[in-house]
Amino acid sequence: STTELAQLLAPANDQRPDLVAARRDVTSAEANLAYQECLAWPSMVLTPGVTRQYQSRAIGFPNANSWGIGLDASLPLLDRNQGNIAAAASLLRQAQLDLEVRSIAVRAEVTQALRDFQAARASATIVDQTALQAARSARDGIESARALGSRTLLEVLDARAAYREVQREQVRARTELQRAASRLRAIVASETLQ
């Protein structure tokens, strides 16, 4: 049962749209937090520069190279952006908690659906192997006894009615098994299930 549950939880965790969306929300919140942390610091760009001044013909001085370096910084210099960082961290924690809650809910849904499926499978197996065979044996025995004259027609009809009731129970059990399998497939978001 534990291995069946683990085998069903793996595709449910990978394929369930609600969990996929929750994981994307966490990723988005992480990216937003990183972005807000980047905004807390000024951007600085260092730019080197070289120029050649051709001045010998114009003013009679020798040509000269000028070297320069520049530092560009965004304003304000000390915007610590603490409010936006705290808000982004709060949104990240909310997204993580939402993912955890959804994961727990999916585990509970899969566990319950698996239990329902196992109970329906056991019920269908019991009806198929035990009840139907016993009802058939009783019906055949009473019909044989009727042919020998030791049973009444009413007993034969009762045996046939009991056999038909067990057949109806077999159909109900198989139908419930198919419903349980369909519910389990839908919860797991899987196409195959034995």
Side-chain angles (χ1 to χ4, degrees):
S1 176
T2 306
T3 58
E4 271 186 298
L5 182 61
Q7 289 173 348
L8 293 172
L9 280 174
N13 287 330
D14 292 340
Q15 298 173 7
R16 285 278 301 249
D18 53 344
L19 291 180
V20 170
R23 278 193 293 277
R24 286 183 182 158
D25 289 345
V26 169
T27 303
S28 175
E30 288 171 346
N32 185 36
L33 178 60
Y35 174 70
Q36 293 299 332
E37 287 173 345
C38 286
L39 289 180
W41 300 98
S43 63
M44 294 191 181
V45 177
L46 191 63
T47 52
V50 176
T51 59
R52 173 92 173 147
Q53 296 177 1
Y54 296 100
Q55 55 194 10
S56 61
R57 262 194 256 159
I59 58 173
F61 289 106
N63 294 337
N65 291 330
S66 295
W67 301 86
I69 190 165
L71 178 64
D72 295 328
S74 63
L75 292 176
L77 292 176
L78 298 175
D79 179 15
R80 301 300 296 186
N81 194 19
Q82 294 301 319
N84 291 336
I85 291 174
S90 173
L91 289 176
L92 173 60
R93 186 65 184 139
Q94 287 174 4
Q96 289 169 337
L97 289 174
D98 184 49
L99 177 60
E100 287 179 34
V101 166
R102 288 176 189 263
S103 296
I104 291 168
V106 166
R107 183 179 181 84
E109 285 179 34
V110 170
T111 302
Q112 184 60 45
L114 179 61
R115 286 183 183 153
D116 292 346
F117 174 73
Q118 289 171 337
R121 185 173 53 193
S123 175
T125 302
I126 289 170
V127 170
D128 284 348
Q129 294 176 354
T130 309
L132 191 62
Q133 185 178 7
R136 184 181 300 124
S137 295
R139 180 199 65 188
D140 293 345
I142 290 176
E143 285 179 354
S144 298
R146 168 76 175 143
L148 296 175
S150 64
R151 296 289 181 158
T152 65
L153 180 60
L154 184 59
E155 291 174 323
V156 171
L157 293 176
D158 283 344
R160 287 180 182 172
Y163 180 71
R164 281 193 305 274
E165 183 58 37
V166 172
Q167 283 180 320
R168 280 192 287 275
E169 185 59 36
Q170 180 188 34
V171 169
R172 280 193 288 270
R174 287 183 180 177
T175 303
E176 184 54 37
L177 177 61
Q178 290 302 316
R179 284 185 187 142
S182 295
R183 278 192 300 264
L184 186 57
R185 274 193 299 271
I187 289 172
V188 172
S190 173
E191 294 299 318
T192 59
L193 183 68
Q194 300 102 336

